Amino acid sequence: MKKVTFLGLVLGFLFLSLSILPLGFASEKPLVIGFEGDAATLDPHARNETTTTTIQRHVYEQLISLDANLKIQPDLAESWKLIDDNTWEFKLRKGVKFHNGEPFNAAAAKYSLERCKTHPKSQYKYMVPDYKDIIAVDEYTLRFVTKEPTPELLIMLESVSMVPPKYFTDTEYGKLSTTMVGTGPYKFVEWVKAERISLVRNETWHRSPKPDFERVIIRPIPEDATRVAALITGEIDACWGVSIPDIPRVEKNRNTYISRCPSQRVIYVMFDVFSDKGGPAPSAQPGIPAGKPNPFKDFRVRQAISHAINVDEIINFVMEGSAYPASQLVSSYATGFNPEIKQPKYDLALAKKLLAEAGYPGGFEAVIDTPNDRYINDQQVTEAIAAQLAKIGVRLKVVATPKAVFFPKVDRYESPFFLAGWGTLSWQGTMNGFFREKKGSFGRTNRGRFSDPELEKKMDAANSVMDDAKRDKLRNEISAKIYSTYYVIPLYYQENVYGFSRRIKDGKARIDERLFAFELKKAN
């Protein structure tokens, strides 16, 4: 009797599992991937956030893409060349169609670039260089004429998805945020928010071979332990982001395995170097006691903190060895990395001396903000930093909030000191975002309001030099100056750790944190 009852339960569970899948998904067991979160939107020009864009890139493609080693490769553009320092010419793939049947051509590429640059909700404006003109020379030739020489144009355009002009023009904006029509390896089926995004293979995809898996379900599972449990039980086939404590569970299970690699994402701390004193926003800094001077405006205080943070201790004990020391916001995989810049040495005696020279021999009080659901062990790392800085008298109140609360707060300049992360291949994009005053596409991550007009002039010069050697020399000089201000203190690069079931052959973690169904191969 018990056997019959158990069998009935199993059959009932299987029936229920199949019934929640979209129509047609029962024909083949779909590939199920557990992501750390859901997409914020499906409009490919709206939200610049890794989870969102990774989901979108199953459907949308760009002129240029990056391989697993972050090397530039052709995508919808077969080739490109410089006509002069300001004019780039792209030869586009022929015969490519969007999933709704519209042709991909130079007119579609022109529309996509212009929409990305001008749409009021676009968070990718800064990835389309300022241009004089975008010209559809013929059906499959596009010319992009920049206002200034732009040596990083290819890296920038890697972020800009190509969209079907007629569909995007005729469809209400709200619908564009809930559906996807691209040229990519998978077609969009449905989105059930906070539950699943369903995709089906594009059988007419312009690349070969086609993806191994015909059907894909992307499931948002925010809780680390729950996501790993789903992998171990076979509920999902791939797990984006295995938390450090869960790595042994995946490695010991015979049906699952781990892939890990260094990430380009750096974890850093940043200071408010603009506010004069503590008090209510926006005229003062609410994270500092009211009426007290802002200690972080003093270079010596920031330098003291850089020497009081023991990064090796954080890597070894908080990150359990799953991180790599950082000296810059860009990693060695990126353009503009300066190998001469070193991480500040841990030196408590020097830190105390610098604090005393700045007028804080007994230290001071302040808030340090951190997200608690965005980066690996983000809250724990921030608490470790607070404990380390207490040794020099800097008494910090750790305020840990979800990223949905944290980022708006720091964007309003309401944090005097905070921990965050950054990952990009672009030196120019990093410098323009972090170290320029907020204006147009500049300064979007300058959340401590750093200002140095002379340095900005040097950035303008470096950003427009097409000669590699001359540009690298200028960039190295600028980077050395930037990091010697201690406005931003890079701490470490994360490690990307992904889990896979034995259903997948040789699954690999990527440096850029992405996980693509079309790169995964069947084991049998």
Side-chain angles (χ1 to χ4, degrees):
M1 183 66 182
K2 289 182 179 178
K3 289 184 179 179
V4 173
T5 303
F6 178 74
L7 179 60
L9 288 172
V10 170
L11 291 174
F13 175 76
L14 289 174
F15 176 79
L16 179 62
S17 298
L18 291 173
S19 69
I20 67 171
L21 298 177
L23 187 63
F25 264 61
S27 60
E28 177 194 71
K29 182 182 177 183
L31 173 74
V32 184
I33 304 177
F35 272 31
E36 292 174 322
D38 205 352
T41 176
L42 297 186
D43 187 317
H45 299 151
R47 180 69 175 269
N48 184 2
E49 185 259 335
T50 303
T51 301
T52 296
T53 58
T54 301
I55 291 170
Q56 293 169 352
R57 287 188 181 207
H58 286 79
V59 175
Y60 290 105
E61 294 179 298
Q62 300 72 41
L63 295 178
I64 310 297
S65 62
L66 301 174
D67 66 15
N69 296 314
L70 305 190
K71 302 299 182 186
I72 292 173
Q73 63 179 359
D75 200 334
L76 289 175
E78 288 186 322
S79 63
W80 50 84
K81 64 179 180 181
L82 270 173
I83 304 298
D84 56 50
D85 281 358
N86 294 73
T87 306
W88 296 74
E89 183 175 276
F90 296 87
K91 292 294 184 180
L92 308 181
R93 290 185 186 273
K94 297 178 181 178
V96 177
K97 290 194 175 185
F98 289 98
H99 300 156
N100 69 337
E102 285 185 59
F104 170 73
N105 50 29
K110 173 180 168 68
Y111 171 83
S112 301
L113 292 164
E114 290 175 343
R115 180 184 189 269
C116 185
K117 185 69 170 179
T118 61
H119 197 285
K121 293 183 180 290
S122 172
Q123 290 189 354
Y124 287 96
K125 288 180 171 71
Y126 72 102
M127 298 309 286
V128 180
D130 292 337
Y131 55 84
K132 291 181 180 177
D133 206 355
I134 303 175
I135 306 163
V137 178
D138 57 41
E139 190 169 8
Y140 297 108
T141 305
L142 182 80
R143 284 190 179 174
F144 193 107
V145 185
T146 60
K147 289 184 177 179
E148 302 289 344
T150 309
E152 287 195 3
L153 179 135
L154 295 179
I155 293 174
M156 296 167 74
L157 293 190
E158 186 272 337
S159 296
V160 183
S161 293
M162 299 292 105
V163 301
K166 188 175 188 306
Y167 181 83
F168 268 61
T169 302
D170 295 346
T171 303
E172 292 182 6
Y173 176 78
K175 186 176 180 181
L176 296 176
S177 66
T178 59
T179 189
M180 294 185 281
V181 178
T183 60
Y186 284 97
K187 293 182 179 181
F188 174 75
V189 177
E190 69 169 353
W191 182 19
V192 181
K193 287 188 178 182
E195 185 177 325
R196 67 180 180 269
I197 288 177
S198 304
L199 310 169
V200 64
R201 185 168 60 203
N202 177 12
E203 300 297 345
T204 61
W205 192 36
H206 58 85
R207 289 194 186 184
S208 183
K210 302 293 185 293
D212 268 21
F213 293 93
E214 178 186 356
R215 302 179 188 277
V216 173
I217 294 176
I218 296 173
R219 287 186 51 196
I221 309 176
E223 299 79 13
D224 292 338
T226 305
R227 198 166 55 253
V228 169
L231 176 68
I232 290 173
T233 60
E235 188 179 341
I236 64 176
D237 302 297
C239 177
W240 182 0
V242 176
S243 64
I244 294 169
D246 287 323
I247 292 174
R249 293 174 60 200
V250 179
E251 289 179 326
K252 290 176 182 177
N253 182 52
R254 66 177 184 174
N255 295 320
T256 58
Y257 62 96
I258 286 288
S259 176
R260 56 206 299 175
C261 71
S263 173
Q264 66 173 348
R265 184 174 300 281
V266 65
I267 301 300
Y268 65 89
V269 290
M270 176 183 278
F271 305 95
D272 175 0
V273 295
F274 178 83
S275 301
D276 290 321
K277 61 183 179 179
S283 58
Q285 174 50 251
I288 296 169
K292 296 287 186 179
N294 175 10
F296 303 117
K297 289 194 74 171
D298 193 306
F299 162 82
R300 294 165 296 184
V301 170
R302 303 194 301 271
Q303 186 181 11
I305 287 172
S306 77
H307 290 294
I309 297 176
N310 190 335
V311 175
D312 287 342
E313 184 177 84
I314 290 171
I315 290 174
N316 290 333
F317 296 103
V318 184
M319 300 301 292
E320 298 183 30
S322 188
Y324 308 83
S327 63
Q328 295 154 73
L329 291 176
V330 295
S331 74
S332 59
Y333 301 102
T335 62
F337 179 81
N338 183 348
E340 300 300 317
I341 296 175
K342 306 300 180 185
Q343 190 174 73
K345 291 183 179 180
Y346 177 61
D347 189 333
L348 277 183
L350 176 58
K352 291 176 180 178
K353 179 174 179 292
L354 288 165
L355 267 189
E357 290 176 357
Y360 299 96
F364 56 85
E365 296 180 357
V367 162
I368 182 169
D369 286 281
T370 179
N372 58 15
D373 62 352
R374 176 62 185 91
Y375 311 107
I376 302 168
N377 292 348
D378 39 17
Q379 180 174 344
Q380 295 93 319
V381 169
T382 308
E383 289 170 347
I385 290 171
Q388 290 176 348
L389 295 184
K391 295 177 182 178
I392 62 170
V394 176
R395 301 173 296 280
L396 298 173
K397 177 184 178 182
V398 176
V399 177
T401 53
K403 60 185 178 183
V405 175
F406 169 81
F407 285 107
K409 179 179 181 180
V410 296
D411 284 340
R412 294 192 302 266
Y413 311 119
E414 293 178 5
S415 177
F417 184 21
F418 64 87
L419 176 141
W422 178 252
T424 181
L425 282 181
S426 172
W427 183 93
Q428 180 173 326
T430 298
M431 293 297 168
N432 285 346
F434 276 80
F435 305 110
R436 304 189 74 140
E437 292 190 45
K438 193 167 186 178
K439 182 179 180 182
S441 61
F442 293 154
R444 67 190 187 91
T445 44
N446 186 2
R447 295 169 171 133
R449 290 180 282 185
F450 175 88
S451 177
D452 189 328
E454 290 303 313
L455 205 55
E456 291 205 30
K457 291 178 183 177
K458 291 182 179 180
M459 288 183 205
D460 286 334
N463 291 345
S464 61
V465 173
M466 300 301 287
D467 181 271
D468 291 346
K470 291 180 180 178
R471 184 172 65 254
D472 287 345
K473 184 175 184 297
L474 275 171
R475 285 177 167 180
N476 286 345
E477 291 173 0
I478 293 167
S479 294
K481 168 69 173 176
I482 285 289
Y483 294 108
S484 69
T485 68
Y486 301 97
Y487 164 56
V488 170
I489 303 173
L491 302 175
Y492 58 86
Y493 302 110
Q494 293 186 158
E495 182 177 53
N496 295 333
V497 184
Y498 293 170
F500 298 97
S501 75
R502 297 292 175 187
R503 187 183 177 204
I504 295 169
K505 180 181 179 181
D506 298 329
K508 301 292 184 185
R510 285 178 57 118
I511 299 164
D512 59 3
E513 300 182 357
R514 301 190 186 279
L515 178 55
F516 295 126
F518 53 85
E519 290 185 343
L520 301 181
K521 302 297 181 184
K522 292 180 180 179
N524 299 318

